Amino acid sequence: MSGRIPDEVIEDIRQKSDIVEVVSRYISLEKRGRNYVALCPFHQEKTPSFNINPEKQIFHCFGCGVGGEVFKFLMLMEGLSFPEAVRLQGAKVGVVIPEQLSPRDLARRSKQQRALQIYALARDFYRALLSRDVGAKAVEYLAGRNLSETVRETFQLGYAPEGWDNLTKFLTAKGISVDELVKLGLAQSKAPGRCYDRFRNRIIFPIWDPQGRVVGFGGRTMGDDLPKYLNSPEGEYFNKGQLLYGLHLARRGIREQGYAVLMEGYVDVVSTYQHGVTNAVASLGTAFTREQGKLLMNYTHQVVIAYDSDSAGVKAAVRAAEILQELGGQVRIATIPEGKDPDEFIQKYGQPGWADVIKNAVSLIQFKLLQAVKQYGLREKKKILLEVLPNLAAVASPLELEEAIQQTATVLQVNWETVLAEVKKFKRNSRKTTPVWDKTVKNSHNIPSNANPAPKDARSNAETGLLRLALEHQDIVNRIEAELGREFFQNPDYQVIFSAILELGAQVSAARLFDKLKEPQQKVLSELLVQEIPGENLDQIFNDLVSTIKRASGKARLEELLMQLAVAEKAGNTERVLRLRQEINFNIMKSEGPERGVAT
């Protein structure tokens, strides 16, 4: 827990940072004109769409839409909070960040540090026992699972021995109270002031937060005892729905390979890591959560789900895929042959076999088609189609939709026109009523949401141009306000950005805007900032853009008045008809001259 970092210190670090240097620590850059380009580290691509503008000290990817300034880049690459990113970069540029902690913050930080120290002591206790005689049975079990000593050390595996109070005695002897052990989930209460160890006769897997700090444990039996897996209880520092096992080790592999593999359990991650799969994380069970999805999206938007091949695993894989796609992820689902889990499969077939599993992973639609065919058989074409219709209707890209429809038609052995007609029918019905299917499938499949933007009309283009000018020239901001007011943008993101510009006034800068805006508007801002302003005559450009917006506003007002006139005429409201005709005439003459109008 850190106190608030003073604004002037943040700005000092920002001024001393060069985004080109920061980004180049992680990826290779190529200079093109005044900017730099690279393959995006946040999604998989073959053609560079990741742009860095050294003049404005920003980055933007035209492929996945992510963008921001130097601290945002570090937050995404390292999975850090904003203060953590500032502190990391501050250390790089030699800026000392003063501590400004309230008494409450100091108490909270002290409590957290003590909890982390206790977790670390417990981890060291379990690890030490694994290498002693008492842990011989556990070592034999791990060797039987073909887990080497090297991988055991990498994942800091340990052993909780039989007996009721081995860890409790060890920690209380170091001055740690029974109450603390119970609150941290290391022991369970027996009676006031007395407790017993939560983990007994189990292989211990430490569970870390994204920064690599132990915040809980998972214990696995070595026999048929139930439950087979036992996690730390939910608490102040451990919430399995907000953590991904092995993420702190997988971050580099995810960056280097451009995608993450999502598995179910610890053993899958540990075993596959030993065989060279360094980009895998586990969801600590099948109940993948939106919070876990958001955490994973901090590192990559490309995910392959490799859950167990049993029925529970298949259902969980579909749920996880839909959550990730709702969050903007580009997801494929792998089917592990022979009904095996990742651990069993890679033990038998090694890295080459695993590479084939990843290569053969399919989109959500393809996966659901295959599962539906297994469930219903090819004769039940209607039932199979119903399984994938919501997903087909949600595909944003015309090219991808065409491919998905062709795949569906091939599987069902029908004409593609038949499938297309059903998709159109489903869309029409969906507009009338709220769909009963999971709303997570509304996002595009395997294509970022901004990959196929709708064509812009003249007003939309004019709004984009005006906001682009406002971002560069403070005097134009005042002229825009004088001509059009403070709230005229139809694009809600543009309006939020323009309002922030007005609020910052003379202090406006790209960095300060990023600080004020939320994630959706940050993406829009970064895309705007990397665009060039066409032409050199700013006055002419400004006047043309304002005229376009005024004409569009006048046209929209005229259409509204004509609709009101039709209603008034139908109702026989003579007084209102006359008043509306006068206003219509005024609007027409103002926009097109006095020779046109409506007869009164």
Side-chain angles (χ1 to χ4, degrees), residues 376-390:
Y376 302 119
L378 276 173
R379 291 184 179 180
E380 298 287 348
K381 299 180 190 295
K382 188 172 182 179
K383 288 184 179 180
I384 296 171
L385 184 58
L386 285 172
E387 289 287 330
V388 296
L389 266 180

Side-chain angles (χ1 to χ4, degrees), residues 58 73 76 154 158 216 235 251 286 302 432 500 564 585:
I58 62 165
F73 180 81
L76 293 172
T154 300
R251 289 188 306 187
T286 57
Q302 300 275 350
K432 297 175 186 176
Q564 292 180 17
N585 276 330

Side-chain angles (χ1 to χ4, degrees), residues 89-105:
Q89 185 60 13
K92 293 284 186 181
V93 298
V95 174
V96 177
I97 299 176
E99 294 288 347
Q100 290 188 340
L101 298 176
S102 67
R104 184 177 179 180
D105 286 337

Side-chain angles (χ1 to χ4, degrees), residues 148-255:
S148 67
E149 183 177 354
T150 300
V151 80
R152 297 200 301 261
E153 285 298 311
T154 300
F155 285 86
Q156 302 175 344
L157 303 190
Y159 173 60
E162 295 180 280
W164 291 94
D165 56 1
N166 293 288
L167 179 65
T168 298
K169 285 181 178 178
F170 172 76
L171 292 176
T172 53
K174 294 185 174 294
I176 298 164
S177 70
V178 167
D179 186 53
E180 286 178 296
L181 297 181
V182 172
K183 285 182 177 178
L184 294 177
L186 297 171
Q188 294 175 262
S189 181
K190 190 174 184 180
R194 300 179 63 189
C195 63
Y196 58 92
D197 294 349
R198 177 175 179 83
F199 300 104
R200 304 181 306 279
N201 194 28
R202 289 177 179 267
I203 304 293
I204 296 297
F205 296 79
I207 300 172
W208 308 267
D209 66 10
Q211 285 73 52
R213 302 174 298 192
V214 177
V215 293
F217 298 92
R220 192 196 191 286
T221 64
M222 294 174 285
D224 299 326
D225 299 338
L226 294 175
K228 183 165 72 171
Y229 288 100
L230 178 67
N231 287 322
S232 292
E234 301 286 300
E236 187 172 357
Y237 305 108
F238 180 80
N239 184 327
K240 76 173 186 176
Q242 297 177 3
L243 298 167
L244 290 169
Y245 180 76
L247 179 59
H248 71 298
L249 292 172
R251 289 188 306 187
R252 174 175 291 183
I254 291 170
R255 285 201 304 267

Side-chain angles (χ1 to χ4, degrees), residues 18 53 82 121 130 132 172 188 197 207 230 254 286 335 370 379 394 495 525-526 561:
D18 175 12
N53 185 312
F82 180 77
L121 284 171
L130 185 63
R132 296 181 184 173
T172 53
Q188 294 175 262
D197 294 349
I207 300 172
L230 178 67
I254 291 170
T286 57
T335 299
L370 294 171
R379 291 184 179 180
Q495 184 59 57
L525 176 62
S526 65
L561 289 170

